[in-house]
Amino acid sequence: MILGAAPGRSSTTVAVVRDGVLAWWRAYDGALLPAGDGEGLPALARASAGSLGNGPAEAGLGEVRAACVAVDLDDVRAAPVAAIRVGGPCPPALGPQVTHPRGLATIVRGGHSLTRRPLAPLDAAAVRAFAAGCGLADFAVTATGSPVLADHELAVAELIAAEVPGARITLSYEFGRPGLRERERQAMLNAALRPEAERLADAAASWLEGIPLYFARSGEGLVSAHYFRRYPLICREGATAAALRGAHAPPGPHSGRAVSPGPTGKTEAAPPGPADRGRGSAAVSPGSVAGAGEGGGFPPDVAAALGAALAGPLAEVERIVQARGRAELDRALADARDEALTRVVSAGAAPGSARIGEVTVNPLSYLPDGLYRVRVTAAGTTP
């Protein structure tokens, strides 16, 4: 049995999936998201934690094996970021663009070409000085040529960690985009989301204590809470994606009826009322498993919780590789597959369930021969 949770501003909708269909749902008062001022889960929601854990059991649905949270991060508070670009000088308009008023950015010498040729030695002294003097804990590092060779980004991360203990560091090569500025923007946005992602993961873990915890990705799939803390950008539109998936899920075994825990602790069925057709909230009758929305879809919050519970762990690797022949390309692809499988296990795939889903290889135009953009997706199942 898999539990899905869709946090709202004043309530949290929970859905339970058994054998691939929605078996039970309920809305709880209280927001799971941390408040804008950094406060944790409201006391009322914390008091519901026991009933959250017991509700499915009381309904005779069995033990919860995993919990999957669907949340959008567009409205969360962004942290100020210290951005470091490793490369050559450029006009200010083409430099790192920080958006937070307390954010800072610098360019230090270093980087590589896409053929792995060093452009300049890494200016380690400049990195140390910036890290020690910026007064920030969230860093985004982008180096020229890092999708091919990430050595300078990794070296900068080591220098930052030595100067700022506990720093949260995002490296652009982990997002795989070939364009420098695109990777840089993604790295900075990921770094800005990490503090709030950590608070959300802590809140969800305290509410869902003792249950393996996952978060819905923006496209498809899930990642573990540990992975979410490090790469929240890939879950930025997790609730939106989960709601689209859940809205098209088949109805449960009690289609057209509402199901809720009865006074005896067993599941009781009742005809759906007008409230069952509204948005999932504390006012909605708990447990609607019918296709209650227009066109047969579920209410939005129920669809988001359901879509998260129906997904499985997924991870992807995107790299630019240089290969002078088929044998070199095959070795590069094997390395990318191994990395993707390692990532999906880190994203929470059950041991033995990790598998390669899709491999795409595209030669890069207008660049030296032998350069390819490689993307590998790996998937797995929850415990």
Side-chain angles (χ1 to χ4, degrees):
M1 183 177 68
I2 306 297
L3 183 149
R9 293 188 179 276
S10 59
S11 65
T12 298
T13 300
V14 174
V16 170
V17 167
R18 184 177 59 184
D19 298 328
V21 296
L22 178 62
W24 182 92
W25 78 264
R26 184 174 179 180
Y28 292 84
D29 287 332
L32 179 59
L33 274 168
D37 57 4
E39 292 181 358
L41 195 66
L44 183 57
R46 287 198 299 270
S48 296
S51 57
L52 173 63
N54 295 333
E58 290 173 355
L61 298 176
E63 180 183 359
V64 176
R65 294 188 289 109
C68 311
V69 179
V71 63
D72 288 339
L73 300 177
D74 286 335
D75 295 333
V76 303
R77 181 178 54 184
V81 172
I84 299 176
R85 180 190 292 180
V86 182
C90 68
L94 298 179
Q97 303 296 314
V98 295
T99 58
H100 196 285
R102 292 197 292 116
L104 297 171
T106 189
I107 300 176
V108 302
R109 297 287 294 179
H112 296 82
S113 71
L114 290 181
T115 57
R116 305 172 72 93
R117 178 177 59 85
L119 300 178
L122 177 63
D123 190 346
V127 174
R128 292 191 190 97
F130 178 77
C134 69
L136 299 174
D138 294 285
F139 291 82
V141 181
T142 306
T144 304
S146 63
V148 176
L149 187 63
D151 289 6
H152 280 184
E153 287 194 7
L154 295 168
V156 169
E158 290 183 1
L159 294 169
I160 293 171
E163 294 293 333
V164 186
R168 291 177 288 258
I169 305 168
T170 296
L171 304 181
S172 78
Y173 88 94
E174 296 180 294
F175 294 94
R177 300 291 185 259
L180 173 69
R181 299 187 73 189
E182 184 182 8
R183 277 187 292 112
E184 188 171 63
R185 284 193 295 270
Q186 288 189 315
M188 288 192 288
L189 181 54
N190 188 79
L193 293 174
R194 285 187 67 174
E196 284 298 310
E198 289 190 359
R199 280 190 279 271
L200 175 57
D202 288 343
S206 68
W207 204 47
L208 302 164
E209 186 175 358
I211 303 173
L213 182 62
Y214 296 83
F215 285 82
R217 292 171 53 104
S218 296
E220 58 178 323
L222 305 168
V223 295
S224 64
H226 167 77
Y227 206 93
F228 172 75
R229 290 170 182 269
R230 186 168 180 179
Y231 306 109
L233 180 61
I234 63 176
C235 299
R236 186 180 182 185
E237 297 177 348
T240 300
L244 290 173
R245 180 166 52 249
H248 295 90
H254 304 285
S255 180
R257 304 178 70 83
V259 180
S260 59
T264 63
K266 298 181 180 180
T267 303
E268 297 182 348
D276 295 318
R277 300 181 176 85
R279 181 176 177 84
S281 68
V284 177
S285 299
S288 173
V289 298
E294 293 183 5
F298 296 103
D301 290 348
V302 180
L306 172 60
L310 290 173
L314 184 143
E316 58 190 13
V317 169
E318 190 169 345
R319 294 284 181 268
I320 297 176
V321 302
Q322 186 177 24
R324 297 176 180 84
R326 184 67 202 188
E328 285 192 20
L329 181 58
D330 286 343
R331 286 194 293 270
L333 289 175
D335 290 341
R337 288 189 182 96
D338 289 344
E339 184 178 353
L341 291 171
T342 300
R343 282 201 174 205
V344 79
V345 172
S346 177
S353 73
R355 63 191 184 280
I356 297 298
E358 182 181 7
V359 179
T360 58
V361 182
N362 294 311
L364 294 179
S365 304
Y366 311 110
L367 290 170
D369 289 341
L371 287 176
Y372 301 87
R373 184 174 179 177
V374 172
R375 183 175 181 270
V376 180
T377 300
T381 60
T382 51

